[in-house]
Amino acid sequence: MAQGEGMNTYHSQIVDALVSIGWTPPPVPPCPPMPARKCVVYGCQNRSDQGKFNDNICWPCYNMLTSGEVGKGTTFIHNLDRNLAAAAQEIEKARPAAFDIPMPGAGGSPPMIRRVYFEDVVSMINQLAAIRKALTSTQENQS
């Protein structure tokens, strides 16, 4: 006999004996409903009683986070996506596709004009930052 099994048998025998003499067991009260949980994604207003949840995250947020596709919504991710899209449009409107930079000529010759594209400038800035970082770390190591 498993532990506690004798107690369950004894308990059910008592209940059976009481029922046989007309005793009615009291009704078991229903459990109170579980309170609705809020989605844990910052800014999301979805609650567990409004739709499907995957643990503590509502299904739309879960799909957005796992697929990377941002649909409509009010979470901080949606707001960030809208702000980034608006900023990208403003940058596209504000920057020229290309511009001219005068380059110093060699040996007294007139300056050359080089057509530079925005992406080239960003690449040069990144390269300069990497060189500066390398030089700074080299100087610190020598000290």
Side-chain angles (χ1 to χ4, degrees):
M1 189 177 342
Q3 186 178 6
E5 188 176 311
M7 186 65 161
N8 289 339
T9 305
Y10 180 70
H11 180 265
S12 59
Q13 288 174 350
I14 292 174
V15 170
D16 290 344
L18 289 170
V19 168
S20 69
I21 60 170
W23 176 76
T24 306
V28 177
C31 293
M34 293 291 292
R37 296 172 298 158
K38 184 185 165 303
C39 178
V40 296
V41 174
Y42 182 79
C44 181
Q45 301 301 315
N46 291 342
R47 304 187 71 80
S48 59
D49 59 349
Q50 297 172 323
K52 188 173 177 183
F53 263 58
N54 184 345
D55 198 17
N56 289 329
I57 299 176
C58 71
W59 201 248
C61 288
Y62 178 81
N63 284 335
M64 177 178 55
L65 292 171
T66 56
S67 72
E69 296 176 11
V70 181
K72 296 179 181 178
T74 59
T75 70
F76 81 102
I77 296 171
H78 292 97
N79 292 335
L80 182 62
D81 186 60
R82 280 191 291 274
N83 292 342
L84 287 175
Q89 287 177 348
E90 290 298 318
I91 290 170
E92 283 298 318
K93 284 193 278 184
R95 76 171 170 96
F99 48 93
D100 296 329
I101 295 181
M103 305 291 284
S109 63
M112 298 171 23
I113 303 294
R114 178 169 179 222
R115 194 126 182 108
V116 178
Y117 293 89
F118 184 76
E119 289 76 16
D120 294 334
V121 174
V122 171
S123 175
M124 286 187 271
I125 290 170
N126 290 335
Q127 290 172 5
L128 288 172
I131 291 169
R132 181 168 187 234
K133 182 178 179 181
L135 289 173
T136 306
S137 64
T138 303
Q139 290 172 352
E140 289 174 357
N141 290 339
Q142 292 176 352
S143 302

